[in-house]
Every structure is written in structure tokens, then in C-alpha cells.
Amino acid sequence: YNNSLMFLPDTQSVCLEGGNYDFIIYDDYGDGICCDWGEGSYQLAFDGEVAINGGSFGLSETKPFATPGFDNSVTTDPPVPS
């Protein structure tokens, strides 16, 4: 980013199928997006409800999350040979 965009939020929207996911963020310089060079941060939200957030990390950070309403306790038993 050039300096004129430094303080503007960068918002991305995606559609996800119901399920469990990992949010992975990388930083080439290994100092995260917070604190040595400003107060950067990120957040993942569904309909305004924040699911995960952060900013202080090294080269990368992984945070698991589930889409709203996804019931990961429901499992399908594998088929039983007859």
C-alpha cells in the first residue's frame, strides 16, 4: 500500500458453504500487522458478529472457525460392510 491508503480499511466479502474452516493470514516481514509499524488488525465477521480477530503475530497465524448455524457435532457414521 502507498501512504495515502495506509489508514483505510480493506474489506473483502466471500460466500462460504456451512462448515469448519481455518483462517490463515501471512506476513512477509514476520512482524504481523500490529504494533511495530502502526495499529493494524483483522477481523472475520458474519452479519456484523465478530467470529475471530487479531493482528499481533509473526510470519503467520491460523484461527479455526465455523460458519454460523453449522453444527459440527452432527456426524455421519461411515457405512458398515454387510
Side-chain angles (χ1 to χ4, degrees):
Y1 292 103
N2 63 38
N3 286 339
S4 67
L5 301 175
M6 187 185 311
F7 298 106
L8 295 176
D10 182 6
T11 302
Q12 304 283 324
S13 296
V14 296
C15 293
L16 298 173
E17 302 247 349
N20 293 309
Y21 294 88
D22 286 331
F23 176 84
I24 306 172
I25 186 168
Y26 298 97
D27 180 69
D28 286 339
Y29 292 102
D31 59 355
I33 56 175
C34 171
C35 301
D36 291 341
W37 300 100
E39 296 183 24
S41 64
Y42 67 85
Q43 70 177 23
L44 172 69
F46 295 97
D47 295 324
E49 295 290 321
V50 177
I52 59 173
N53 58 29
S56 180
F57 59 93
L59 288 170
S60 68
E61 181 168 63
T62 302
K63 290 195 175 181
F65 69 94
T67 55
F70 180 72
D71 184 359
N72 63 4
S73 66
V74 175
T75 59
T76 304
D77 293 328
V80 178
S82 53

